[in-house]
Amino acid sequence: MTNGSEDRYTVISADCHAGADLLDYKPYLASKHHEAFDAWAATYVNPYEDLLADTADKNWNSDRRVAELEEDGIVAEVVFPNTIPPFFPSAALMAPAPTREEFEQRWAGLRAHNRWLADFCSLAPGRRAGVFQILLNDVDEAVKEIRWAHGAGLTGGLLLPGTPPGSGLPELYSQEYDAIWATCAELGIPVNHHAGSASPPLGDEPAARAVFMVETTWFSHRALWHLIFGGAFRRHPDLKLVLTEQGSGWIPGVLDMLDYYHARLVKAATKAAGPKANTAESKFGQGLAASMGKGPSEVWAENCFVGASFMRPHEVPLRERIGLDKIMWGSDYPHDEGTYPYTREGLRIAYAGLPREEVAAMVGGNAARVYGFDLDFLDPIAAKVGPTVGEIAEPLKEPPADATSPVFAPGGKVRVW
């Protein structure tokens, strides 16, 4: 099944970022927090250069954003957070879990972001799926916010915080979070886990920054095996998990590894070994088969998706092993590592020569299905601004000289796992 007009693709970015300018969050806070917000904002030093630059308004300038995305051939976007919510030391994706003393103010800050985001998405109806934020410290409060966000039209789903070592939170496999999974499954809300949201704090030494870059996607991958082995998908078979901006080339190998351990832990029988076969690892797997249900690859096939931001050329040959119905391309706008303003070139370097139906699914069709975009509404826009099938089919000979996205890195072999 294809999407778009006969000669153009309907491109939906499954990974973009937005947020309010710092002071613009204040109207979304309850009045009891205003004095504390004024004090916090007066002394806050933003740690991110891109949020201090002249281009920072890409995060909140709706008209500019629509124009630049259309210029880049993109007609709709899944909107993850980017700017600093009130009372946070850094972007919520990267901030450590709050202490008990910080919890009330941090919750107020995230709620302010969610309410701003609902208004921001309403400025471009049908073209933005906003991803809302929660904290895991209080599951009942999280469930209330999930239900509010669903009612407010934030169709991008839940942004799942990480539980990095030292956070003090139960691990994601814990059944303490079951009400969250149940509510998301009931309402058809995707659970998104974005790179960076589960890394432990490492400090600011040069080596620490290098280690962060090496490890950050691995810490994000952990949500996959935590939820699988924790049985979340057995108890809630309609739950959808999306792993975004973590690469995609790692998925086949990790699924093979998870299947191996699953088989060894649950004493999976073979015709040769028989149903009573023991393994060296089976003593660690008591009760696992009953608690988790299906094996990892089965869960992936039925419940999981990948926000494969600017898919690299070396990952594309793995698309069938990953699942052609699982891959959702993203531009990562407005980040420097994103493909803007060279999205067409980024698509060409990855997808030139592939069948039209496959490209259409990965650049838009899959995202429309997962996040509920209406292709009948988007296709006419794409017929005017979308990249043509012919231009994406043409291999890219030379990357743009000033392109900054890793998709154009020599050889394309960046962050395989």
Side-chain angles (χ1 to χ4, degrees):
M1 179 178 178
T2 63
N3 62 298
S5 65
E6 184 61 30
D7 60 345
R8 292 181 186 268
Y9 289 114
T10 297
V11 181
I12 300 170
S13 173
D15 180 30
C16 289
H17 295 265
D21 198 1
L22 191 69
L23 298 180
D24 289 341
Y25 281 121
K26 183 176 179 179
Y28 294 94
L29 288 166
S31 59
K32 68 178 182 178
H33 295 294
H34 285 185
E35 185 176 347
F37 174 81
D38 290 342
W40 171 77
T43 59
Y44 185 77
V45 178
N46 197 313
Y48 302 113
E49 292 183 7
D50 64 319
L51 295 180
L52 300 172
D54 293 340
T55 56
D57 76 320
K58 292 181 178 185
N59 285 282
W60 56 79
N61 185 328
S62 182
D63 291 341
R64 175 178 185 173
R65 193 177 181 100
V66 169
E68 291 191 350
L69 288 174
E70 286 190 356
E71 172 192 332
D72 219 21
I74 297 169
V75 297
E77 55 175 333
V78 179
V79 186
F80 286 84
N82 197 45
T83 63
I84 314 301
F87 309 117
F88 276 72
S90 60
L93 268 175
M94 308 296 294
T99 64
R100 185 181 301 274
E101 293 72 26
E102 294 168 331
F103 177 70
E104 182 182 0
Q105 285 190 339
R106 295 276 186 92
W107 243 130
L110 288 191
R111 285 189 170 113
H113 168 83
N114 293 342
R115 282 141 186 80
W116 173 87
L117 183 60
D119 284 349
F120 182 72
C121 290
S122 73
L123 298 176
R127 302 182 68 174
R128 291 179 180 146
V131 178
F132 62 90
Q133 301 182 76
I134 64 165
L135 291 171
L136 295 174
N137 306 59
D138 187 322
V139 170
D140 290 340
E141 286 298 311
V143 168
K144 290 178 185 177
E145 189 68 4
I146 293 168
R147 292 193 179 278
W148 174 87
H150 179 262
L154 289 173
T155 57
L158 165 72
L159 179 60
L160 179 64
T163 56
S167 70
L169 295 168
E171 297 283 6
L172 288 177
Y173 54 70
S174 170
Q175 292 194 34
E176 289 194 28
Y177 302 125
D178 224 40
I180 293 175
W181 318 140
T183 305
C184 289
E186 172 200 339
L187 299 176
I189 292 172
V191 173
N192 305 280
H193 200 51
H194 193 283
S197 62
S199 298
L202 295 172
D204 198 40
E205 297 180 31
R209 294 193 294 271
V211 168
F212 171 83
M213 293 302 296
V214 171
E215 294 181 346
T216 183
T217 51
W218 182 86
F219 276 106
S220 300
H221 300 344
R222 293 175 77 220
L224 176 63
W225 50 84
H226 276 232
L227 267 66
I228 288 176
F229 287 123
F233 300 102
R234 178 189 65 79
R235 296 188 299 278
H236 313 290
D238 294 329
L239 185 65
K240 292 187 290 189
L241 176 67
V242 182
L243 302 171
T244 296
E245 202 177 332
Q246 305 174 28
S248 59
W250 59 276
I251 292 169
V254 165
L255 289 177
D256 287 345
M257 179 266 291
L258 296 179
D259 284 341
Y260 169 83
Y261 280 112
H262 173 252
R264 300 286 290 179
L265 287 164
V266 303
K267 299 187 295 185
T270 66
K271 289 182 180 179
K276 300 295 185 181
N278 285 312
T279 68
E281 298 88 351
S282 61
K283 58 182 175 291
F284 298 109
Q286 185 174 5
L288 185 63
S291 66
M292 69 173 285
K294 296 177 180 178
S297 284
E298 291 179 277
V299 171
W300 177 266
E302 294 181 10
N303 300 89
C304 302
F305 304 86
V306 57
S309 304
F310 41 82
M311 201 172 184
R312 283 83 164 179
H314 73 281
E315 296 172 308
V316 176
L318 298 171
R319 64 193 183 279
E320 291 187 357
R321 292 183 63 194
I322 297 167
L324 280 166
D325 60 336
K326 303 295 179 183
I327 298 167
M328 301 181 292
W329 178 91
S331 72
D332 201 26
Y333 176 95
H335 290 164
D336 288 342
E337 66 267 27
T339 55
Y340 176 82
Y342 299 116
T343 284
R344 290 173 174 82
E345 290 82 358
L347 292 173
R348 287 171 60 192
I349 202 170
Y351 296 143
L354 298 188
R356 183 194 191 283
E357 293 77 11
E358 294 186 9
V359 177
M362 292 187 288
V363 303
N366 293 335
R369 187 177 73 256
V370 172
Y371 292 107
F373 288 103
D374 183 355
L375 290 177
D376 289 337
F377 171 73
L378 293 176
D379 285 349
I381 305 172
K384 300 175 183 177
V385 305
T388 67
V389 172
E391 68 179 311
I392 301 306
E394 184 69 24
L396 186 70
K397 295 180 180 179
E398 292 289 338
D402 59 341
T404 55
S405 174
V407 75
F408 300 113
K413 294 186 177 180
V414 179
R415 196 177 292 159
V416 176
W417 50 268

